[in-house]
């Protein structure tokens, strides 16, 4: 499943703007797979959050929230944990493909095949 293409500007509240990576407004992309409910999410930080991370949540109609959420407990067949929050929808992180990243990796593999000894990165 392709990654959701929702993008918005994240402007940190004053108490978070003292953290260097949040000092300036920035664009954030939804990390979830394509979904129809318009409830988007981006992980901001997992530093200091026991068992979870701080997420920026937003909707297409302008609602925003910063919230600490526990990690999803899903594990794939290789033993890799899902990198999304608990009760996310619809797919686990390993099922979500960033089409831009995939296109870039294919181009890198063509230009630098020695970096991809097992062939195409897909």
């Amino acid at each position: 499943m392709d990654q959701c293409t929702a993008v918005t500007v994240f402007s940190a509240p004053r108490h978070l703007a003292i953290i260097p990576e949040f000092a300036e407004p920035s664009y954030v992309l939804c990390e979830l797979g394509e979904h129809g409910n318009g409830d988007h999410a981006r992980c901001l930080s997992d530093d200091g959050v026991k068992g979870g991370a701080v997420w920026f949540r937003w909707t297409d109609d302008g609602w925003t929230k910063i919230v600490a959420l526990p990690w999803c407990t899903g594990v794939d067949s290789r033993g890799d944990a899902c990198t999304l929050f608990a009760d996310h929808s619809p797919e686990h992180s390993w099922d979500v493909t960033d089409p831009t990243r995939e296109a870039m990796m294919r181009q890198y593999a063509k230009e630098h095949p020695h970096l991809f000894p097992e062939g195409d990165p897909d």
Side-chain angles (χ1 to χ4, degrees):
M1 167 177 280
D2 280 345
Q3 183 174 336
C4 176
T5 59
V7 62
T8 194
V9 175
F10 171 71
S11 294
R14 182 172 288 182
H15 67 282
L16 290 179
I18 62 170
I19 301 170
E21 63 258 35
F22 301 141
E24 297 293 325
S26 61
Y27 288 99
V28 292
L29 301 169
C30 182
E31 291 186 49
L32 303 174
E34 293 176 325
H35 52 96
N37 66 2
D39 192 5
H40 308 290
R42 180 71 184 187
C43 182
L44 294 178
S45 175
D46 63 356
D47 292 339
V49 181
K50 185 176 180 178
V54 176
W55 291 81
F56 177 59
R57 305 290 309 270
W58 76 96
T59 61
D60 295 333
D61 62 3
W63 171 87
T64 64
K65 181 164 97 171
I66 297 172
V67 60
L69 296 171
W71 290 115
C72 174
T73 58
V75 177
D76 71 6
S77 60
R78 296 176 303 184
D80 293 334
C82 179
T83 60
L84 300 173
F85 53 90
D87 299 323
H88 62 81
S89 64
E91 306 291 334
H92 290 292
S93 60
W94 57 80
D95 295 319
V96 177
T97 301
D98 177 347
T100 302
R101 182 185 180 285
E102 294 301 312
M104 289 170 50
M105 293 303 287
R106 283 192 298 276
Q107 187 64 33
Y108 293 155
K110 284 181 197 173
E111 294 175 9
H112 308 283
H114 62 285
L115 299 176
F116 299 89
E118 296 183 22
D120 193 346
D122 290 339

